[in-house]
Amino acid sequence: MKKIANDIYYVGVNDRRKALFENLWPLPNGVSYNSFLITDEKTALIDSVDICYSDLFFRKLDEVLNGRPLNYLVVNHMEPDHSGSIRLLKKYYPGLQIVGNKQTFGMLAGYYGITDGLYEVKERETLDLGRHRLTFYMAPMVHWPEVMVAYEETERILFSADAFGTYGTLDGGVMDTELNTDRFWDEMIRYYANIVGKYGSPVQKILQKLSTLDIQTICSTHGPVWSEQRAKAIGIYDRLSRYEGEKGVTVVYGSMYGHTEQMAEAIAGALSENGIRNITLYDASKTHASYILKDIFQYKGLLVGSPTYSGHLFPPVEAILEKIRIREVKNRLFGYFGSYTWASVAVKRLAAFAEAMQWEIAGEPFDQKQAVSAETYAKCRALGKAMADRLNEMNF
């Protein structure tokens, strides 16, 4: 088994078969379910794994424990991809005590019918294992209400639940020092945008709590163990939870017959001509929302174009806007445009969306009746330039 510190082992598993995380978000590179075992005077398992991998998981536990009992299971997060093996753990290790908070125990009863062998902890309470001691910090709504994190004082390790997690399996290595981590950074942003994005304020609160700790290693429940690159991981979460987009623009459009797409291309060209280098252009009918949301969280500027469809926005565009609303994305620079054949509605709906989000508007919104005209191309260029000019004025 992989040893990550004195008496602390990685006993997690990789899932290369699941196609959709939460049955929503694509997993082209799979995902890991991370679990950690401390073997001190008392033994403690930090989180478990999806029940689909319980056989492999228990074999790893048996190898590390080597006949010793498992004294504690620390449940930092109750989502079933981490708690799914709890009932089996309870049966396999009958003396096991489950460490959690009041919210944890309500979910334990609801999901698994477990109401005994519980060890409740509150804010800054500790669990002594011998040479190692865990201190607990509550992190509600990062991203479930029962979430807590555990700080191991001797090795200065933060067991962070889903925080600082990423999509992607761990192929060979576990520590960031053993992996080429390049592919994980975009996946961390996508994971945050998909899963955590609504909860920027709770993320900021837990980051402030943890800022006084000397954290040398971060053990999330998904993705690499962050050691050398822990500051980068924390920085990404800090920036995203403040909704501080980088200098760049996400252009999202829907198009039935290509006219709105032509407008989007012209706007993107104007952005480039005026100094914007980070530009992503998405057909909402083709690209999964997971990737679009990732760039909306990453970049400051957002431009949305939609044709009118049955007196409403084009459905794939409307679906993206609803996902943005749910996540309560803040502080974006917004521009919009539309097209129609006989009745103009889309631009009015986009205006209502912008007002609801309370975003700053860049440029002059417009729409096009039927085929794109020379006048419309001029408006596209003006909108792209206005967005670029405003971004160029900002400090990044």
Side-chain angles (χ1 to χ4, degrees):
M1 293 305 99
K2 179 64 184 178
K3 189 173 184 179
I4 64 168
N6 289 327
D7 305 322
I8 301 178
Y9 297 85
Y10 177 86
V11 290
V13 299
N14 288 302
D15 185 344
R16 296 183 177 85
R17 296 185 177 183
K18 191 185 296 293
L20 296 172
F21 193 76
E22 296 185 333
N23 214 23
L24 285 170
W25 315 111
L27 292 172
N29 299 306
V31 68
S32 68
Y33 309 123
N34 298 343
S35 178
F36 303 90
L37 181 61
I38 302 174
T39 56
D40 204 327
E41 294 173 18
K42 296 286 187 178
T43 59
L45 181 67
I46 315 294
D47 292 306
S48 63
V49 305
D50 192 301
I51 195 169
C52 298
Y53 292 87
S54 57
D55 182 62
L56 173 60
F57 179 53
F58 276 83
R59 281 192 277 123
K60 289 186 173 187
L61 286 177
D62 283 347
E63 183 178 337
V64 178
L65 288 169
N66 194 28
R68 293 187 63 185
L70 181 60
N71 301 117
Y72 299 105
L73 167 64
V74 174
V75 181
N76 282 331
H77 184 24
M78 271 295 299
E79 202 164 3
D81 56 337
H82 308 297
S83 68
S85 298
I86 289 180
R87 189 153 45 195
L88 291 176
L89 283 164
K90 187 80 170 165
K91 290 181 178 179
Y92 199 76
Y93 302 103
L96 180 67
Q97 287 190 287
I98 300 176
V99 181
N101 57 66
K102 187 176 181 180
Q103 292 270 20
T104 310
F105 298 154
M107 293 184 182
L108 269 173
Y111 273 115
Y112 308 115
I114 296 173
T115 57
D116 63 331
L118 308 180
Y119 185 113
E120 183 176 352
V121 292
K122 298 177 182 178
E123 183 75 20
R124 294 181 186 269
E125 289 189 345
T126 61
L127 178 68
D128 283 307
L129 302 174
R131 198 175 73 85
H132 299 82
R133 184 169 73 166
L134 297 171
T135 302
F136 299 96
Y137 297 86
M138 302 301 120
M141 302 319 303
V142 185
H143 59 119
W144 277 29
E146 87 302 351
V147 172
M148 63 184 190
V149 301
Y151 178 66
E152 199 287 303
E153 299 175 7
T154 302
E155 300 294 339
R156 296 173 290 178
I157 295 174
L158 179 71
F159 297 98
S160 63
D162 276 356
F164 313 110
T166 79
Y167 301 127
T169 55
L170 301 175
D171 301 339
V174 170
M175 307 284 294
D176 61 2
T177 54
E178 303 168 329
L179 298 161
N180 182 340
T181 59
D182 291 350
R183 70 182 176 95
F184 287 105
W185 299 116
D186 274 354
E187 289 292 72
M188 177 179 281
I189 297 170
R190 187 166 71 95
Y191 180 91
Y192 183 97
N194 298 170
I195 310 300
V196 188
K198 180 181 177 69
Y199 304 110
S201 179
V203 171
Q204 280 293 304
K205 288 178 181 177
I206 190 61
L207 288 176
Q208 290 170 16
K209 282 186 188 182
L210 300 177
S211 63
T212 61
L213 302 178
D214 179 14
I215 298 170
Q216 294 298 307
T217 304
I218 298 173
C219 293
S220 174
T221 47
H222 298 293
V225 171
W226 301 113
S227 177
E228 283 189 356
Q229 301 179 72
R230 63 191 181 279
K232 183 173 181 178
I234 293 170
I236 287 173
Y237 260 64
D238 185 39
R239 176 173 55 80
L240 293 174
S241 60
R242 293 177 188 273
Y243 304 96
E244 293 181 352
E246 300 172 17
K247 185 177 181 179
V249 181
T250 306
V251 185
V252 183
Y253 68 89
S255 192
M256 288 178 282
Y257 302 110
H259 300 114
T260 317
E261 181 178 31
Q262 292 169 32
M263 296 159 70
E265 292 275 8
I267 291 167
L271 288 167
S272 177
E273 290 166 7
N274 288 278
I276 304 303
R277 295 296 171 259
N278 294 317
I279 305 167
T280 54
L281 196 63
Y282 289 116
D283 181 340
S285 298
K286 181 180 179 181
T287 303
H288 194 280
S290 174
Y291 299 95
I292 299 174
L293 287 169
K294 177 258 178 187
D295 281 350
I296 289 169
F297 268 82
Q298 184 160 4
Y299 297 124
K300 181 74 171 180
L302 173 62
L303 285 157
V304 176
S306 174
T308 295
Y309 188 88
S310 296
H312 292 268
L313 289 166
F314 191 52
V317 173
E318 191 163 35
I320 288 292
L321 298 185
E322 181 59 22
K323 289 176 174 63
I324 296 169
R325 283 192 193 98
I326 288 171
R327 284 158 181 77
E328 299 176 8
V329 181
K330 298 174 179 60
N331 305 326
R332 287 298 173 267
L333 187 60
F334 187 57
Y336 55 99
F337 56 100
S339 62
Y340 66 100
T341 294
W342 67 87
S344 174
V345 175
V347 166
K348 295 175 184 177
R349 296 294 178 98
L350 290 168
F353 169 79
E355 184 176 356
M357 298 302 294
Q358 299 182 328
W359 289 344
E360 179 182 345
I361 303 301
E364 188 67 30
F366 63 94
D367 59 4
Q368 168 64 42
K369 184 175 182 179
Q370 296 158 14
V372 184
S373 66
E375 180 183 356
T376 299
Y377 276 120
K379 291 179 179 179
C380 292
R381 289 189 291 273
L383 179 57
K385 184 178 186 305
M387 174 67 79
D389 288 348
R390 183 68 186 94
L391 288 170
N392 288 329
E393 293 170 358
M394 295 178 175
N395 294 319
F396 289 94

